[in-house]
Amino acid sequence: MAEVNHFDKEAENGQNQTPGTTDIKRISDSGNEQIGDVNKVPFYKLFSFADSADYALMATGLVTAMGSGLSLPLMTLLFGELANSFGNNVGTRSVAHEVSKVSLKFVYLAVGSGIAAFAQISCWMITGERQAVRIRNLYLEAILRQDIGYFDKEANTGEIMDRMTNETVLIQNAIGEKVGKFLQLSASFFGGFVIAFTKGWILALVLLSVIPVLVISAASMTVLISKLTSRGQSAYSAAAVVAEQTISSIRTVASFTGEKQAVAKYEKSLYRAYEAGVHEGLAAGLGSGVFMLVLFSSYALAIWFGAKMIIHKGYSGGDVLNIIMAVLMGSLSLGQVSPCLSAFAAGQVAACKIYHAISRKPEIDPISAEGRVLKDIKGDVELHDVHFSYPSRPNENICIGFSLRVPNGTTLALVGESGSGKSTVINLVERFYDPQAGEVLIDGINIKEFQLRWIRGKIGLVSQEPVLFTSSIKDNILYGKDGASIEEVENAAEHANAAKFIDKLPQGLDTMVGQNGIQLSGGQKQRIALARAILKDPRILLLDEATSALDAESERVVQEALDRVMINRTTLIVAHRLSTVKNADAIAVIQHGKIVEEGSHSELTQDLDGAYSRLIRLQEFNKASPQNSLNDKSGEDITSDSGQHSSQHISSLRSLSRGSSETGNSSRHSFSLSMGVPLPVNKLHSSSGDPKNLTSSQHKVEHKIPLCRLARLNKPEIPELLLGSLAAGVNGAILPLFGFLFSSVVTTFYEPAHKLRKESKFWAFMFVLLGLVSLLATPLKTYFFSVAGCKLIKRIRLMCFEKVVHMEISWFDKMENSSSLISSRLSTDATSVRSLVGDSLGLLVQNIATAAVGLIISFTASWQLSLIVLFLLPLIGLNGYFHMKFIAGFSADAKKSYEEATQVAGDAIGSIRTVASFCAEVKILELHKEKCEVPLRLGTQQGLLSGAGLGISLFFLYSVYAVSYYAGARLVDAGKITFGHVFRVFLGLSMTAVAISQSGALAPDSGKARAGAASIFTFLDQQLKIDSLDNSGMILENVKGDIEFRNVSFKYPSRPDVQIFKDLCLAIHSGKTVALVGESGCGKSTILSLLQRFYDPDAGQITLDGVEVQTLKLKWLRKQMGLVSQEPVLFNDTIRANIAYGKEGSATETEIFAAAELANAHKFISSLQEGYNTMVGERGIQLSGGQKQRVAIARAMLKGPRILLLDEATSALDAESERVVQDALDRVILNRTTIIVAHRLSTITNADVIAVLNDGVIAEEGKHEDLIHKKDGIYASLVALQAAGA
C-alpha cells in the first residue's frame, strides 16, 4: 500500500508521472489522425513534453537566435557603408578615417553576436537534451504500462530498444540546436529584406521575385529526404531486430553453427538501408545544387539590374551592394535551412511511433490509480463462464465457457496436457489478459473493478523459468516488497532455502546476478524468485511448476517452505508431475480449455477410466520405462497452444540468460553456487567510482586511434572517394571564386556609366556560369560520398556483427555485452564513424580547395594585406581547435552513460510479465531516470561549451573584419593598393575563414566519431582463443563417438575465483548413454559446454575418438553434436525455418517433416491454422512449453548428430507427449553417444553409466543397480530423497 500511496502523491504533485498523463492527453486529442495518415507527428507536437524550465530556455533561445540571425543583415549594412567609405573617397587622404568609424561598429557587432550565439546554442542544446531524456522516460513508462497483449502482437524487444536508442536521438536533433539554427537563419532572411526595402525598394522587389524559386527547390528536397529517411529508419530497425535476436540466443546459434545464416540475414537487412542512404545523399546534393544555381542566377540578375538603378535612379554603389548582400545572404540563410528541415522531418517520422506508444491507452493499465482498493481480501478466486483467445491468435479458442472456483485458503492444482490452457488460467487471474466473455472474480468482485496495482500486490507468482533483473540478489528479492528491511529479505531467503548458497558468495546478498540471472544456476535463480514471492506475502499464490528446476535436496526443503507459505492462502498450482499435487485440496483436469474432472486426489483416482487416472498411469509408465527422460523439471506446460504463458513468456522474451540456459541452464553458471562475481559486473554496478576510471582510460586510448586505419577500412571505395573529392574540390573553389567575382563587382559599381553597363553584363554572365558548375559538382560530391559512407557503415556493421556472433561464449557472460547494449552500439558506433569518412573528408577537401584558391586570389591582389589578414586568421583556427578538444571529451562519456539506461529499459521490457506481476513499473522508471541523470548533466555541459565555442569564433570573425578593413584603408591611403584589391584580398580570405569555422562546427561529430571508431577497432582487435571462424583444425572421417575428460580443471572466466572442476576424469564410450546427476550447480551442464567448446578447460584434455578437441575444426566439431536444452530457444520465424535451422537452413521439406514426426511435433504443427508456416513469435512465445520443446528436438534430429546432448530435454512435456517423445529419443539414441543431464533420477535408471558430480570431480560412477546399493552413496541418498518427495 505504501508503494501505491507514494505513487498517487507523485501523480498529485505533478511530478514524474504527470507530464506523462497530461502530455498523453495533449497528443492523443488531436495528433492521432495525423499520425495514422502521414506517419509523422505535426512539428509543434514534438515539444509536447517541455516543462516550464524548457519553455524559459526555449524563449531565451528564441530571442537570442533572432538576435544572432540579425547580426548578418547588420553586417551587410556595415559592408555597404564600408564600400561607400572606400569608393567615395578614392584619391583623398581620408579613407582610413572614414573606414575606422565603420571598423568600430564591426567591433560592437562582434561583441553582440558572440553573446547572442552563446545563449542561442547553449539554451537549445540544453532544452533538447532535457526533453529527449523526458521522452525516453515517458516512452519507457508508456511501454511498461501496456497490456501484455501489446507485446504479443505489436512490439518486440529489438524494435523498442532501437527506438529508445536511435529514434530518441533523431527527436532530440529536431527539438534541440537545429531549432535555434532555423530561427537564426530565418531572422537573417527576414532582417535582410527589411534592410533591403529601406535602402531601395525597386531593386529589393525585383530580387524578391526569385525567392519563390529558392523556397520551392528547398521544400521539394525536404519532402524527398523525409521519405527516404523513413525508409532508411525502417530498414535499420529490421537489422536491429536480427542483431538482438541472434545475440540473445548466441548459445543456440553457436551450437547449431548458425553464425553464417545470422550474418547473411543481417547483411540482407543492411542492404536495404544502404540503398536508402545513397538515395538520400543524391537527393540532398541535387536539392543543394539547384538551390545554388538559383542563388547565383539571382546575383547575376541583381548585378545587371543594380547597374541600371545606379545609372537611372541614382542609387549609390554601397546601397546596391547592401541590398544585394542583404537579400541574397538572407536567401542563402534560407538555403542553409534545409539540413534543419530534414532534421525536423526525420524527428517527426521518428516521433510518430514513439508518441503513438506514449498516447496509447492500454485496456489493462498497471500504473492507473483508478479502481477499488479494499482493506484486504479473503482470497476467493472464481472464473465464471470464461471465453478466451489470445490477442495474437483470435481465431483459436483457448477457454470455452470455462468455470472454476477456489475458496480462500485452499489449494487447487491444474493438470492436463501441454497446451490445454492451464497457464492461461494463471494469466487471467494475474489479469495479464481480460476474457472476451465471462468474469474473473476475487471475493465475488470482478477483477476489472479493482485497482490493478493493488490487486496484483495481493497475488504472488512463481514461474517455472524465473526472471531476475541485472542487479544484486538483494535488489531482486526487494522487488517483492518496496522498502523491506534487511531482516525481512534474509528471512525470505531463509524460507526459500536460498540463504545457504547466498552466504557462500563473497559479496553475499550484494552479489550481482548478471543479465537475467546468468551468473546463477537454474536452481539458485528459482530460489531467489521464491524468496521474492515470499517477501511479497500475497493472499493468493500462483505456482507455475515452481520447484521444477531444483535438485532433490533443494526441492524437498523448498517444497516444505512452500507448504508453510501456502497455509491460509489461496493457492493455484500448475503441474505436470502429478506426484507434486496429490496433497492439494482439489485437482482440476483441463482438456481443450474446459474442466473435464475436478475433485481431490483420492476422489479422482477412484474412477479408473477418468482423465486424471489416465494421466497418472501414463506418468507411472514413463517412470518405469527405460531411460525415461529427465522428467526432472516436469514442467512447463505453460500455456495453451496459443501460447501466451506467464512464466515462459517472460523468460523466453528475454532469453539472454538463455544464453546460458540453452546449453544447459544449470551449469553454465551453475557454479555461482560457490561464489564469485565477474569483474565486469562490479564495474557496471555503480555509475561512479571504478567505471569512470575505466572509461577515462579507455578514452585516452580512443583518441590515439589513427585515422589512416579508418581510411584503410574505406579502401574498396577509393574510386568513389577520389571522384567525390574531385567534386568537393570544385565545390570548394566556388566560394573564393564568388568572393573574387563579387570584389570585381564592387569596383565596377564605382565606374563611369558606359563602362558600368558593359562590365555588369560580363560579371552577371560569370555568376550564372558559377551556378552551373555548382549544379554539377554538388550532387556528384554528395552522391559519391554517400555511396562510400553507406558502404562503410554497412561494412563496419557487418564486420562487427560477424565478430560478435563468432565471439567466445565467455564474452557474453559479461554484463557489458548484453544483447540490447551490443545492438545499440552496432547501430550508433557505425553511424557516427560515417561522418568521419564521408561528410568530414568531403568538407576537408572542400576546405583545402577553398583555402588554396582563396590564398591565390588574395596574394595576387596584395601580398602585404594578405599577410596581415592571414596573421589574424589563426585566431579563428585556434578557437576551432579548442572548441573541438572541449567537445571530444564528453561525447563518448554521454554515450556510455545512456547505455546503462538502455540496459535498465532492455531488462524491464524483456521481462515485462515479471515487471507486471511485481508491480515494479514505478521502480524501473525511477531507476531509468536515475541512469539518465549523468548524460543529462554531460549534455548540459556540452551545450554550454559548444555555445561558448561558437560565440567566441563569431566574436573573432567580426573583429578580424574590423582590423583587416582598417589595415586595407591605411594601405590605400599610402598608395600601396587600390580599394578593389582590398575587397579582393578580404573576400577571398574571409571565405576561407568561413570554411575553417565550418570545420569547427563539425567538432561534436568528430568527437563522437573518433570514440565510435575507437570502440569498433578495440572490439575488432580482440584476440579469440576459441574462434568459430577459424577453419584450421582436423576433421575425422569416421566419428565413433568416444569421449574422454582427462584431469580437467576449469573455472568460468567471469568468475576466476570459483573452481568448478578439479582433475575431473570421465570416459564416455561410443554408442553408450551416460547420465550426469548431482545437485543444482554442481557442474553437469558445464560438461556439455566444454564438450561443445563454448569454453576451454584451464588444464587437462578433452578428447573425441582419442583426438584432443582443441585440435579439431570447431565448426565441424559442433556439427557432430545435437543439443536439446531444458529451456529451448526458438527464433522469431516460422516453425519450418526453426526446424530447418538444424541443417543450417538447407533442409528439404521431406527431411523437415520426418524430423517433426520423429519428435512427435508433426501432429500439433499440422493442427495449427498456418501449419509449418506458423510464426513462433519472439523467442517462441506463441507456442506452449511442450510445443517449443518438440520443435527444438526436431531441429536437433535434423542435424543427424553422432553425439546427442540432452539437457533435461523432455522436462517441459506433459505425460502423453513425454512418453512419445521419449520413445522417439530412445530410437535416435541408438548407435549414438548420448550424454544426459538430469535431476529427476527416475528418468535415467537404464543409462549405461551414471556419473555423480560432487565438489568438481566424479564422485561415483556405475550403473543404477550398482550405485543404488552402495551404502552411504551420494546417488543412493539422492534417489531416496526424490522417492520421499514423490
Side-chain angles (χ1 to χ4, degrees), residues 507 678-698 893 896 900:
Q507 278 113 329
L679 278 170
V681 173
N682 295 340
K683 271 188 248 167
L684 265 172
H685 183 36
S686 77
S687 53
S688 59
D690 295 343
K692 279 186 186 163
N693 304 338
L694 172 90
T695 45
S696 58
S697 64
Q698 205 177 350
D893 284 340
K896 192 81 180 165
E900 288 190 17

Side-chain angles (χ1 to χ4, degrees), residues 72-81 83-84 188-211 295 298-299 301-303 305-307 309-310 313-332 742 745 749-750:
L72 189 66
L74 287 173
M75 192 274 285
T76 66
L77 198 62
L78 297 183
F79 193 83
E81 282 185 34
N84 282 339
S188 296
F189 176 69
F190 290 112
F193 272 98
V194 172
I195 288 176
F197 272 93
T198 51
K199 285 288 182 185
W201 65 272
I202 303 174
L203 179 56
L205 208 56
V206 169
L207 292 181
L208 190 62
S209 64
V210 301
I211 302 302
L295 186 71
S298 311
Y299 270 99
L301 173 68
I303 290 157
F305 195 79
M309 291 291 98
I310 292 173
K313 294 287 182 184
Y315 281 32
S316 72
D319 289 345
V320 173
L321 285 170
N322 189 180
I323 295 164
I324 292 175
M325 285 181 75
V327 171
L328 296 175
M329 282 186 122
S331 308
L332 190 60
F742 200 73
V745 169
F749 282 157
Y750 293 94

Side-chain angles (χ1 to χ4, degrees), residues 157-217:
T157 313
E159 266 176 31
I160 292 170
M161 295 321 298
D162 184 51
R163 275 180 216 148
M164 282 203 87
T165 312
N166 298 328
E167 300 194 2
T168 47
V169 175
L170 293 175
I171 297 172
Q172 184 175 341
N173 282 341
I175 59 177
E177 60 178 317
K178 290 279 194 298
V179 183
K181 192 175 174 188
F182 175 77
L183 290 168
Q184 175 194 338
L185 296 168
S186 304
S188 296
F189 176 69
F190 290 112
F193 272 98
V194 172
I195 288 176
F197 272 93
T198 51
K199 285 288 182 185
W201 65 272
I202 303 174
L203 179 56
L205 208 56
V206 169
L207 292 181
L208 190 62
S209 64
V210 301
I211 302 302
V213 188
L214 286 171
V215 172
I216 290 165
S217 67

Side-chain angles (χ1 to χ4, degrees), residues 14 43 182 223 411 479 506 710 728 737 751 788 835 867 877 902 915 917 919 979 1092 1139 1149 1202:
F43 182 68
F182 175 77
V223 171
T411 299
Y479 273 97
L710 194 62
L737 284 173
E751 298 287 356
S835 65
L867 286 175
T902 303
V915 171
S917 170
C919 312
F979 92 93
Q1092 294 178 90
I1139 296 176
E1149 202 80 346
R1202 283 295 305 129

Side-chain angles (χ1 to χ4, degrees), residues 17-27:
Q17 308 312 126
T18 312
T21 38
T22 51
D23 296 330
I24 284 166
K25 282 178 195 153
R26 231 182 290 167
I27 283 192

Side-chain angles (χ1 to χ4, degrees), residues 458-480:
K458 299 292 176 191
I459 300 171
L461 171 68
V462 184
S463 311
Q464 181 185 22
E465 299 175 14
V467 168
L468 302 184
F469 297 98
T470 313
S471 56
S472 66
I473 292 175
K474 182 174 77 182
D475 289 343
N476 269 290
I477 297 175
L478 278 171
Y479 273 97

Side-chain angles (χ1 to χ4, degrees), residues 1111-1167:
T1111 64
L1112 296 170
K1113 184 175 169 182
L1114 185 57
K1115 264 192 185 313
W1116 176 86
L1117 174 70
R1118 287 179 180 167
K1119 280 180 182 170
Q1120 306 314 305
M1121 302 179 196
L1123 171 72
V1124 184
S1125 314
Q1126 180 183 21
E1127 300 171 13
V1129 168
L1130 300 185
F1131 297 98
N1132 192 357
D1133 208 330
T1134 61
I1135 292 177
R1136 174 183 280 103
N1138 270 289
I1139 296 176
Y1141 198 79
K1143 217 170 179 184
E1144 296 189 34
S1146 59
T1148 64
E1149 202 80 346
T1150 317
E1151 289 173 321
I1152 292 171
F1153 288 168
E1157 195 74 61
L1158 203 56
N1160 184 28
H1162 183 69
K1163 190 175 163 191
F1164 95 77
I1165 297 171
S1166 306
S1167 70

Side-chain angles (χ1 to χ4, degrees), residues 423 426-427 432 461 463 544 644-650 913:
S423 296
I426 283 185
N427 286 338
F432 286 156
L461 171 68
S463 311
D544 200 348
Q644 295 345 109
H645 25 321
S646 64
S647 83
Q648 181 134 355
H649 178 12
I650 340 176
R913 289 179 180 229

